[in-house]
Amino acid sequence: MLELIIQNAINALQWGSFYALIALGYTLVYGVLTLINFAHGDVFMVGAYIAFFVATFFLVSLGVPGWVVLALCVPLTMILTSLVGVTLERIAYRPLRNKGAHRLYVVITALMCGLILQHANLAIFGASRKAFPPLIQEHVYNVGGVSFTNLKVAVIVTAFLVFLILHWIVTRTRVGMAMRAISYDKFAVPLMGIPLDQIIVITFVLGSGFAGLAGLLFAMSYPVLEPYMGALIGWKAFIAAVVGGIGDIRGAFLGGFLLGAIEILVVAFFPSTLRDLIAFTVLLVILTFKPTGFFGVAKTTKI
Amino acid sequence: MLRRYSVHLILATLGGLVVYLAYNEYLGLYYLSVLMFMGVNIILSSSLNLVNGYMGEFSCGHAGFMCVGAYVASVLGVWLFARDRVFGAPVLDPEYALYAFPVIILAGGIAAALAGLLVAFPSYKTRGDYLAIITIAANYIIISAIENMSAIGGSRGFMGMKGVINAMEDTIYLPWMPIWVFIFTIFSVWVIRRYVSSTFGKGVNAISQDEVAAEIMSVNTNKIKTITFMLSSGLAGIGGGLFAYILGYVNPGSFNILKSTEIMVMVYLGGMGSLSGSILAAILFTILLELLRPLQIIKWIVIPLVLIILMQFRPEGIMGNRELGQTFPRLKKFYRFK
């Protein structure tokens, strides 16, 4: 019984890690811009594809050994994916923001950017699924009836590391201080000599970079890539971020793991087709009774 | 005199023309179905406009309610009037199909309105982005619930609606589907127009402008939200029911977020809070989709691109929060629509 619990806990942690990593990107951008970046799930998908091309390029064309490829893949994927995110910000969101357009129009634009990323991918690379090459030897460890692989542990450790790094950046550095300032008052911040656009670009770099990392880890854990893989995970991660309280890094992290745990528990005890149904129902109930999520702060409305 | 009846006249001529052309088969099946989808899209976009435009909430799960309406209407219709693998022989005499069809579609609408409560109750406390999530979650919950009902096909889908249409056509030979789509389209636009211009419906606009202020001014916001969400999702259910009968086949996968996005595109293309904008956008969008069909997958790159460019240069949409009569005041001399 105890083994079963620990086994499911490890699975939940690993599955939740992906949600948490993506939710962090949502929550960062939302915290700074109060913009739901609906293209984020597709940025994650693009990250997985970039990882695929980088990995196959080094592994097949150059014949570099697997662990070197992995060491190259992590920074390259993160950099290239953050470029995608920054490009989206530059060409789609910033012009609208400079015009002072309503927030909703930016959200629609984000949604459309996501659709374009998906279908451009589908048009360019075709509908056939890509198989991600194995980079490192997967070891299965078995401790007292609980089995886990080195990859699973790596995913969980990475998620926690990313959380710690982001938490440190937001609470301890000058950039993080500027981010919090922007989310507090967007109009007073430029008057204090804080470069608004630069901070926003840094936010997008951080969010998209970690989405790319999540894409790489996801591709390594479940080595089948397809253009729509980002959509569902992205929506779910977004819901996780909201349940945690969007705009708060701890909330995104907690929400991601909560969603992962719910899904793994449902699959463990019910038929797996019920997974989405129960997971979303639980989230709906949580949001009905705690509308701002776990860490969200209710805003007072003035007339 | 002319001013009073010109809209009725135009609609009657248009409807008569379509039915005449369809009856004599001058119009191909393809053009006819494009016309019918236009009607369905008008219902969907104008009903979503009620929530997203007039009430100022951000609902992005409209296809979920459409799904409820489609399934309830088709299961009910097939159970009552058609021979089917699952339900066996028809329960009622197929001759009655003709008279019962609008009731079936309305029943789908009522079921969808009840599903709308799934969103209406949380909307008392939540607003904005949080409510958007609830609508997305509701969309997923509905699709996932239907996928798990293996009695009505689950994720494989449900079919047999052609039998009901055949039963109608056997009784009296007329192109019944275009007629019903036409009637229901006008019905739903009329209902929405009457609703938002009524004294009670002014509260909907008040919520959009300032919810707290509206509440202080003794607008019962919770009641208005409940009714508006139910009306909007109920009309979406009617649209869904018609959609199912036009296609003759439904599966839950076709009511996913992509479909919701499609409806949202129409609303924002037309302009929020503008009924004539929604109608115009639904017509344009349907034509655009059909024109771009040869491009296949590129279509889904072109359409979002069009919308992004629109957002950059005219973010308020084609009509931009105004009705046709306000944009062209001279037209007011010639028609009156209430």
Side-chain angles (χ1 to χ4, degrees):
Chain A
M1 189 61 208
L2 189 66
E3 296 100 68
L4 191 72
I5 293 173
I6 297 176
Q7 182 70 60
N8 276 323
I10 289 178
N11 288 346
L13 276 175
Q14 184 240 8
W15 188 234
S17 295
F18 296 117
Y19 288 137
L21 279 174
I22 302 167
L24 286 172
Y26 273 115
T27 216
L28 266 179
V29 172
Y30 188 89
V32 173
L33 282 177
T34 53
L35 156 70
I36 310 174
N37 183 13
F38 274 134
H40 195 67
D42 300 301
V43 170
F44 159 78
M45 177 271 294
V46 170
Y49 268 80
I50 288 174
F52 167 77
F53 285 113
V54 171
T56 39
F57 174 72
F58 281 114
L59 209 63
V60 178
S61 311
L62 301 182
V64 182
W67 60 273
V68 182
V69 175
L70 183 63
L72 284 169
C73 245
V74 172
L76 272 177
T77 309
M78 285 178 72
I79 292 167
L80 290 174
T81 317
S82 53
L83 275 182
V84 174
V86 172
T87 315
L88 281 183
E89 200 273 330
R90 247 350 272 254
I91 57 175
Y93 308 152
R94 190 181 291 180
L96 274 177
R97 199 169 59 241
N98 288 345
K99 271 183 208 161
H102 192 279
R103 220 162 53 78
L104 209 58
Y105 299 132
V106 192
V107 174
I108 306 287
T109 309
L111 207 59
M112 294 303 122
C113 287
L115 280 182
I116 289 182
L117 283 181
Q118 272 173 30
H119 292 98
N121 189 329
L122 199 60
I124 296 170
F125 303 119
S128 63
R129 298 175 165 197
K130 303 258 183 294
F132 196 80
L135 291 182
I136 48 168
Q137 196 68 44
E138 209 169 325
H139 292 293
V140 182
Y141 302 101
N142 204 324
V143 182
V146 179
S147 69
F148 51 92
T149 62
N150 49 356
L151 203 56
K152 257 182 196 175
V153 178
V155 169
I156 298 170
V157 170
T158 316
F160 275 92
L161 274 180
V162 167
F163 168 69
L164 289 178
I165 292 170
L166 274 182
H167 197 66
W168 176 75
I169 290 177
V170 171
T171 53
R172 294 274 185 276
T173 60
R174 288 173 70 84
V175 174
M177 203 198 253
M179 282 177 184
R180 280 179 292 145
I182 293 174
S183 74
Y184 193 73
D185 192 333
K186 212 173 3 183
F187 298 101
V189 157
L191 302 175
M192 304 294 149
I194 298 169
L196 193 69
D197 282 340
Q198 233 166 24
I199 300 292
I200 289 170
V201 165
I202 291 174
T203 316
F204 271 89
V205 166
L206 284 174
S208 321
F210 289 127
L213 184 63
L216 171 66
L217 290 174
F218 192 84
M220 282 169 69
S221 311
Y222 308 95
V224 181
L225 306 184
E226 43 124 5
Y228 291 111
M229 65 188 253
L232 191 62
I233 290 189
W235 285 106
K236 283 185 179 173
F238 176 47
I239 293 178
V242 174
V243 166
I246 196 161
D248 192 300
I249 297 208
R250 291 167 301 167
F253 203 63
L254 188 71
F257 281 118
L258 183 71
L259 185 58
I262 293 173
E263 293 203 340
I264 293 291
L265 281 180
V266 169
V267 175
F269 295 107
F270 296 101
S272 63
T273 46
L274 288 175
R275 191 179 71 181
D276 288 359
L277 183 67
I278 296 179
F280 283 119
T281 312
V282 170
L283 298 185
L284 195 75
V285 170
I286 292 177
L287 275 182
T288 312
F289 289 105
K290 189 129 178 53
T292 47
F294 291 127
F295 287 101
V297 186
K299 278 183 195 157
T300 47
T301 334
K302 287 180 192 163
I303 311 169
Chain B
M1 189 65 190
L2 181 68
R3 180 172 170 245
R4 191 158 181 194
Y5 292 109
S6 62
V7 172
H8 303 91
L9 215 64
I10 291 171
L11 287 178
T13 325
L14 208 68
L17 194 70
V18 169
V19 171
Y20 174 75
L21 288 177
Y23 184 69
N24 290 326
E25 288 173 2
Y26 291 139
L27 269 179
L29 210 57
Y30 171 72
Y31 291 102
L32 200 63
S33 60
V34 171
L35 276 179
M36 287 194 280
F37 280 126
M38 227 178 250
V40 171
N41 282 343
I42 289 174
I43 296 177
L44 292 173
S45 68
S46 50
S47 62
L48 184 64
N49 204 347
L50 193 59
V51 169
N52 281 24
Y54 287 106
M55 200 156 69
E57 301 283 4
F58 187 48
S59 162
C60 33
H62 212 51
F65 306 122
M66 196 183 156
C67 184
V68 174
Y71 263 88
V72 169
S74 29
V75 169
L76 207 60
V78 170
W79 176 55
L80 289 176
F81 298 113
R83 184 167 291 281
D84 185 66
R85 271 184 299 114
V86 187
F87 300 111
V91 176
L92 295 176
D93 193 348
E95 272 181 23
Y96 296 123
L98 183 55
Y99 312 105
F101 185 74
V103 181
I104 289 170
I105 295 286
L106 281 178
I110 290 165
L114 293 179
L117 288 175
L118 206 64
V119 176
F121 285 137
S123 79
Y124 295 166
K125 276 163 86 180
T126 37
R127 242 191 107 74
D129 305 326
Y130 291 94
L131 194 62
I133 311 312
I134 288 173
T135 57
I136 298 169
N139 196 340
Y140 273 120
I141 287 173
I142 289 168
I143 290 178
S144 188
I146 287 176
E147 271 176 356
N148 280 300
M149 291 179 196
S150 48
I152 51 170
S155 53
R156 276 174 290 119
F158 183 79
M159 58 205 297
M161 282 77 88
K162 282 278 184 284
V164 182
I165 298 172
N166 288 341
M168 283 196 290
E169 283 176 351
D170 285 344
T171 318
I172 299 173
Y173 185 72
L174 270 178
W176 283 111
M177 270 327 282
I179 295 176
W180 286 124
V181 170
F182 190 77
I183 291 174
F184 274 111
T185 307
I186 290 170
F187 169 74
S188 42
V189 171
W190 179 75
V191 164
I192 292 171
R193 174 77 188 159
R194 295 298 293 185
Y195 179 64
V196 292
S197 59
S198 68
T199 317
F200 183 77
K202 293 273 190 284
V204 177
N205 227 328
I207 290 179
S208 148
Q209 282 169 4
D210 196 322
E211 193 178 329
V212 181
E215 194 151 9
I216 292 170
M217 295 296 171
S218 80
V219 174
N220 189 346
T221 48
N222 284 354
K223 191 175 163 194
I224 287 187
K225 275 182 188 170
T226 316
I227 290 176
T228 312
F229 271 117
M230 282 182 80
L231 183 61
S232 163
S233 49
L235 290 176
I238 289 178
L242 293 170
F243 178 82
Y245 277 92
I246 294 169
L247 275 184
Y249 166 76
V250 276
N251 76 327
S254 56
F255 300 104
N256 56 8
I257 295 279
L258 203 65
K259 185 79 193 169
S260 299
T261 316
E262 214 174 275
I263 305 170
M264 244 156 56
V265 169
M266 285 189 270
V267 172
Y268 291 104
L269 194 70
M272 287 200 293
S274 163
L275 205 51
S276 40
S278 285
I279 296 168
L280 204 65
I283 294 171
L284 281 178
F285 187 76
T286 319
I287 295 173
L288 190 70
L289 269 185
E290 292 307 319
L291 285 182
L292 293 179
R293 192 172 284 280
L295 288 178
Q296 289 167 353
I297 200 70
I298 312 276
K299 180 175 84 171
W300 280 108
I301 303 175
V302 175
I303 289 168
L305 211 57
V306 168
L307 203 75
I308 288 177
I309 292 168
L310 189 85
M311 287 289 145
Q312 301 281 353
F313 297 106
R314 194 174 161 80
E316 66 272 29
I318 298 172
M319 299 298 290
N321 219 348
R322 298 164 77 172
E323 294 296 344
L324 201 63
Q326 289 165 314
T327 320
F328 303 104
R330 285 194 188 165
L331 273 180
K332 270 192 177 165
K333 275 185 203 159
F334 302 107
Y335 82 93
R336 197 172 69 172
F337 179 65
K338 272 196 178 153

